[in-house]
Amino acid sequence: MISTLFEIFKSNMVQIPLIQPIIDYLMQIPLINFIVALILWRPFFAVVIIPGLTVLLLYLLYIVWFERKLTARVQWRVGPLEVARPIRGAIQALADGLRYFFQEAIVHKEAHRPYFVQLPILAFIPILLPIAFIPAGNVVGIKSPYAVQLVVAFLALIPITIIAIGWASNNRFAFIGSVREALIYVSYEIPFIIAVSSMIYLYGSGDPYVAVEKQSIVPGAIMNPIAFLVFIIAMLMATSRLPFEIPEADQEIAFGPFVEYSGMLFGLVMVLAYEKLYVMALLFVILFLGGWSGFYCELLGDLNAPLWLFIKTIIVISILAIVRSMYARYRIDQAVRYSFSWLIALSIVALVIGIAVGWIV
Amino acid sequence: MEEFTKFVRGGILGPIKKWGTKWSLWPVHLVTACCGAELAHAFACGYDGERIGALNYGIARQTNLIIVEGAITRKMARVLRITWEQMPDPKFVIVMGACGLNGGIFWNGYNLVKPSEVVPVEFFIPGCPPTPEALLRGIRQLQIKLDKGVAENSVSFSEVKAEKGKKPRILPRGVKKVSLAPCIVIAREKEVEWELGKNLCEKLKVLGRAVITARNRIALKVDPDKLRSSAMKLRDLGFDHVKSVNVVDAPNEGKFIVEYWISSYSVKELMPVLINLHSEISRREPKISSLSDIFPSADYLEREMQDLFGVEFVGNPWKGRFLLAPDAPEAPLRKDFKLQEEVYVGD
Ligand code: SF4
């Protein structure tokens, strides 16, 4: 049994010439070789190491710090610094996370206890599932020709957990926040899906491999710039970034659906939007920026593709972080009106362009 | 509180807990008084409290530090306590400002509460208001306390040798004379060129003593039982609202003077005119008929006076507390109201 598993793992391992001697050495030791084979097994590697969980955690540490630092810079401040002076306070998010971890997690009397505690954890499922389908070169969790459609479908599940969180909190601010989340959800989801389907028409398939291959000369952002724009705006709306930070709005409704969460549970729900942003940015890079294609380095072997994908994603997210410190917030009615008027119009234009370009290419 | 400090430092995971809490002291937004302006300064550019990991954030559930910004009134004391109880453990409180220490400029006021009687306080930051440096040093001090387990003085003062013996205490001398003569004058007549005013005065003479006190100002003194009929007469003349209701306490004359400041929004010539309709009532039995049905704008103002002076406005349906907190003392603005005195024990 174990030996068959071992054979399965061994037959499909990530090849990295740089650390090959170390792996060869470790593979000779019993038991350790099983663990090493498991870690380097391609599906496992994709989901747990890169572009999956491990780099997701690193990314969370980075993005929270980067956003605070950037906002501070825009406001002529320094931002987090003293916690680790030599690296400009880069581990501030770690300190905050630890503090949340050891703080009391209050479940108040009015809350629906089982759901209140479960939902922050359940909300991870629709976030982690897409990662299994997003390929990076030949490092891939589950290979599917419908990967893009699947990722979009899983992303659509996240707001439902957030609305359920608001319901389980049983608090008036949480209710308002959930209603706002639902409104924003219907207003970004339609342009978002139309923009993605315009790209699917353009490439003629929902398979990321086909998409990346077709972008080998011209990236998708140039082939269909309107869809590019619509996707960015929908991404901002979907992840409650600032011009559309309507469901959370800490000045008016004190973090909306998350108002009653404390301690570790709040730590979990606070990063939801960031994780959603990560998944959407992965999809964005695959559809518009040429996916994992990039300069090939012999030494890294199979690691090239995931690394390029990750680096591009981080760059996209860092650029998006700038809007947070520069824009004021839209009112809910403005946001809904804009998205139902010109955002949908733009996405339909994008669809037409997508079909036309897809027909020519 | 000591037990929270102990919790943060204790256990096998102590060092990690200590490190995380130390660099992540997030104060909750709870601005109670003017010291809040200084807190804003401490977290804006220039001083930037975020440098040391403190970030002003959302609500009590997600934070672990309360900075009490100055004066806490009786009503805010309740809010402070609720905020503190909503906050997950371990939590800390820093009080800034002289008001929070011992009352400051509101020292011994009837409506002021000491924060240290409401919640356990970790550090006090004196000053009115404390500078941003002082506030940041307060947070820094809390970090050091979490780090080392004990609070340490961050400044040391040079010692001054005390002289032998005691200096005699010189008390301020008391008031020499207390005048028993009526000293509160509401209406002092003044000669002004004002045709409309003179006409109005002629019309009001029948109600009571009407005098012009300045340009556009008329004082009309009436008997308490004639108050309502005078108000109705004024309403017929075109005056339509009460701007302010006022009670003057004259304890050595044994009376309250109740004033209504009446003016008009609807008649153009009367707009700048203010009529002071006043009447004197006995201090023993402070009752006067309400004008709230004639001028609805008098309603809330009368309730407030009822709260602060204990004057009963007969006809105003509101009974009980309006502005004051439920546990505030009765009629605190009467001149004979005795403030709670602090007692210092020692030599
Ligand atoms: S200490 Fe001074 S600045 Fe602070 S609340 Fe009191 S009066 Fe205002």
Side-chain angles (χ1 to χ4, degrees), chain A residues 183-200:
Chain A
L183 268 175
I184 281 290
Y185 171 52
V186 291
S187 54
Y188 78 78
E189 195 68 17
I190 300 166
F192 174 66
I193 288 178
I194 298 180
V196 171
S197 44
S198 82
M199 294 318 278
I200 293 176

Side-chain angles (χ1 to χ4, degrees), chain A residues 85-215:
Chain A
R85 246 173 182 283
I87 46 172
R88 314 296 294 165
I91 46 173
Q92 178 66 51
L94 185 66
D96 293 336
L98 280 177
R99 193 260 290 168
Y100 273 132
F101 193 84
F102 291 112
Q103 243 183 331
E104 185 187 6
I106 298 173
V107 182
H108 59 291
K109 236 196 305 184
E110 282 83 23
H112 191 291
R113 193 174 252 275
Y115 286 150
F116 187 81
V117 179
Q118 263 171 39
L119 279 168
I121 299 153
L122 281 184
F124 272 90
I125 295 173
I127 286 188
L128 294 185
L129 275 178
I131 289 179
F133 287 95
I134 292 178
N138 45 21
V139 178
V140 52
I142 302 170
K143 218 170 190 167
S144 158
Y146 304 110
V148 173
Q149 290 97 317
L150 278 172
V151 170
V152 172
F154 287 131
L155 279 175
L157 285 178
I158 299 174
I160 294 171
T161 57
I162 293 181
I163 291 166
I165 282 174
W167 174 81
S169 296
N170 198 1
N171 174 303
R172 72 191 98 161
F173 293 121
F175 280 140
I176 298 174
S178 314
V179 172
R180 287 182 176 198
E181 172 77 31
L183 268 175
I184 281 290
Y185 171 52
V186 291
S187 54
Y188 78 78
E189 195 68 17
I190 300 166
F192 174 66
I193 288 178
I194 298 180
V196 171
S197 44
S198 82
M199 294 318 278
I200 293 176
Y201 276 120
L202 204 155
Y203 300 131
S205 157
D207 192 347
Y209 289 99
V210 179
V212 171
E213 197 192 308
K214 290 225 168 150
Q215 290 178 73

